[in-house]
Amino acid sequence: MADEYVSLVCDDVPHDVVLTDTGVRVLDVVQVVRRLTGLSLWRSKVLATQIPAVILVGVPQEDAEEAVTALHDVGARAEAREQPEPGFPRH
């Protein structure tokens, strides 16, 4: 019996955008967070100052990368993290 290989085609894995450092241009970062999330200016400021902060949850990889680029452009540090599959423990 020959070995069979199965190729799985799945949807885009959701990503979270995590702000890890605001840098020195905090107000610019707050404006980007506001634009990305649609939150009020006050809530965006609170979110951006609680580091590390999850800015976006469960977005496609392309959107996550665009958000990370926008945050990097204003001097912040951020990363896109793949969401783990349900049932797998987070490390």
Side-chain angles (χ1 to χ4, degrees):
M1 186 172 188
D3 290 332
E4 293 182 28
Y5 294 94
V6 178
S7 176
L8 296 175
V9 178
C10 60
D11 294 330
D12 188 22
V13 177
H15 287 72
D16 295 342
V17 175
V18 180
L19 179 65
T20 57
D21 184 23
T22 57
V24 295
R25 296 168 51 191
V26 178
L27 293 178
D28 292 336
V29 173
V30 169
Q31 289 292 336
V32 171
V33 169
R34 181 179 186 201
R35 189 181 80 234
L36 292 172
T37 62
L39 295 172
S40 69
L41 185 59
W42 175 257
R43 293 192 186 276
S44 296
K45 180 179 181 256
V46 170
L47 182 62
T49 56
Q50 295 177 346
I51 302 298
V54 178
I55 303 299
L56 298 173
V57 177
V59 297
Q61 182 178 2
E62 184 177 309
D63 293 344
E65 289 172 355
E66 288 174 6
V68 168
T69 300
L71 289 164
H72 285 179
D73 288 346
V74 293
R77 285 192 210 149
E79 57 189 42
R81 296 181 183 168
E82 228 178 69
Q83 284 187 340
E85 292 184 29
F88 287 102
R90 282 191 133 160
H91 294 282

